[in-house]
Amino acid sequence: MNSSDLKEEISDLKVKHNAIILAHNYQIDEVQEIADYTGDSFGLSKLAASTDAEIIVFCGVLFMAESAVILSPEKTVLQPDLQAGCPLADSITPEALQAKKKEYPEAVVVCYVNSSADVKALSDICCTSANAVKVVNSLAERQVLFVPDKNLAFYVAAHTKKEIIPWDGCCSIHHKVVVDDLYKQRKLHPDGIIVVHPECRPEVTALADFVGSTAEIIRFARETASNKLIIGTEIGTLYRLKNDNPHKEFHLVSEELICPDMKLNNLSKIRDALLNKQPQVNVPVQTRKEAFAALERMLQVNDY
Ligand code: 13P
């Protein structure tokens, strides 16, 4: 079946089952084309919490679909390819977090959403890359155990007076970007401005002209007067950047910025998911309730 037939079938199935398709900005172009909403982790969480669709087809990676289940437990949440995970989220287990919490009994635990439901359940509050600084600065405690992304933790530490204790995890894709990549791109495009994700190394974010979540990068690119942008986040973001700004030039800071997990969902898997109402993502009730408290607390801090 060709892609336009698949798109038509997906559109019919969506109406038939009262379904909505949510896609992360890193999904392949064809998935972003048919999504009802494309966004960053924060925007997708908010939408999952507020949609009145009965079925959410979540095109992202597992921790994102789990967050949708936690925020909208009465809905059926489908993830077209269940293999799509996040190595960063897998870098922390609930047992390891329990042990760390004992080392720092005074610390409040802030958990980046790129984490499992079990880890969220043990945390005081969640954050995304869009609101991490705001979340941390909203807390009364002085000491913060920030898990699992050390680069985001360093970024937050540079924007708060609180003591940040980072977990030793990182996104292997963003962590690949080194300062030399920025210098090379600056040489090739001297009039280009550098825009990176806060999951990049601290020496990279320190050199950038703008640091933000994928949605913030997309908004910044629309609003900036600059016509040439050097982009330090996953390649999928280029789809929206180029569509929104056909007259602007975008250069990926490194050709290696490709997340293989994010590329697993595709049109035929979405069609199959809608046809079979499978694969479903589920979270055990107790974990769901505890993780909900951390996610809900984050949503209350943020009002944009
Ligand atoms: P955003 O919250 O910016 O979409 O980032 C999610 C992510 O997984 C980055 O690697």
Side-chain angles (χ1 to χ4, degrees):
M1 188 181 274
N2 66 34
S3 102
S4 58
D5 289 343
L6 267 174
K7 284 178 188 165
E8 213 175 298
E9 200 180 343
I10 289 169
S11 162
D12 293 345
L13 284 164
K14 252 185 6 183
V15 175
K16 184 171 164 199
H17 296 306
N18 185 19
I20 186 172
I21 300 179
L22 305 185
H24 188 264
N25 289 319
Y26 294 162
Q27 291 291 290
I28 61 170
D29 294 2
E30 282 192 324
V31 170
Q32 295 199 45
E33 264 170 46
I34 53 115
D36 295 291
Y37 178 87
T38 307
D40 66 355
S41 308
F42 180 69
L44 293 169
S45 297
K46 272 194 20 172
L47 223 107
S50 63
T51 177
D52 50 20
E54 283 166 58
I55 294 179
I56 298 174
V57 182
F58 210 113
C59 301
V61 292
L62 189 60
F63 76 80
M64 295 178 178
E66 277 187 348
S67 294
V69 175
I70 294 162
L71 290 165
S72 273
E74 72 293 351
K75 307 226 155 68
T76 300
V77 177
L78 307 174
Q79 179 170 302
D81 190 323
L82 270 190
Q83 295 305 313
C86 173
L88 167 60
D90 296 340
S91 71
I92 181 167
T93 62
E95 295 74 24
L97 177 55
Q98 289 277 31
K100 203 67 164 178
K101 280 171 70 160
K102 284 198 183 120
E103 264 181 64
Y104 297 96
E106 305 290 314
V108 61
V109 180
V110 177
C111 163
Y112 187 31
V113 285
N114 297 39
S115 54
S116 68
D118 289 320
V119 166
K120 288 185 178 78
L122 290 172
S123 302
D124 295 298
I125 186 166
C126 290
C127 73
T128 72
S129 59
N131 61 19
V133 173
K134 195 169 180 179
V135 163
V136 166
N137 283 331
S138 76
L139 302 168
E141 291 84 348
R142 189 193 59 80
Q143 195 180 50
V144 176
L145 180 54
F146 192 99
V147 302
D149 190 315
K150 63 180 174 189
N151 288 335
L152 184 60
F154 295 143
Y155 181 73
V156 170
H159 293 86
T160 184
K161 291 193 171 73
K162 295 184 188 292
E163 181 194 354
I164 306 290
I165 300 143
W167 190 264
D168 190 18
C170 65
C171 163
S172 60
I173 313 298
H174 285 97
H175 199 66
K176 279 184 192 161
V177 178
V178 290
V179 163
D180 253 9
D181 294 320
L182 303 191
Y183 291 147
K184 274 183 206 150
Q185 290 297 328
R186 267 231 163 107
K187 222 172 178 177
L188 287 168
H189 313 287
D191 51 342
I193 55 169
I194 297 177
V195 173
V196 305
H197 196 276
E199 285 181 16
C200 290
R201 294 164 188 263
E203 59 274 26
V204 168
T205 53
L207 272 181
D209 298 295
F210 178 80
V211 182
S213 75
T214 54
E216 289 173 322
I217 288 174
I218 288 165
R219 191 168 50 230
F220 174 81
R222 250 192 329 256
E223 290 170 1
T224 179
S226 181
N227 282 325
K228 204 177 274 188
L229 288 90
I230 297 161
I231 303 295
T233 193
E234 211 269 348
I235 193 167
T237 315
L238 292 181
Y239 172 78
R240 274 283 294 283
L241 288 171
K242 288 181 178 170
N243 271 353
D244 288 1
N245 311 279
H247 58 288
K248 295 193 181 185
E249 243 180 70
F250 297 96
H251 301 278
L252 211 55
V253 76
S254 151
E255 291 309 314
E256 293 187 66
L257 282 164
I258 301 173
C259 172
D261 285 274
M262 281 285 182
K263 306 306 177 205
L264 288 174
N265 296 313
N266 60 31
L267 293 184
S268 55
K269 289 177 193 172
I270 293 171
R271 187 265 324 267
D272 292 348
L274 279 166
L275 263 179
N276 306 320
K277 298 197 183 163
Q278 289 291 341
Q280 288 188 21
V281 176
N282 293 300
V283 177
V285 179
Q286 191 54 31
T287 310
R288 180 161 60 64
K289 286 186 177 158
E290 286 164 10
F292 177 81
L295 272 172
E296 174 66 4
R297 198 173 160 197
M298 168 189 87
L299 291 175
Q300 279 167 12
V301 169
N302 222 284
D303 49 9
Y304 98 96

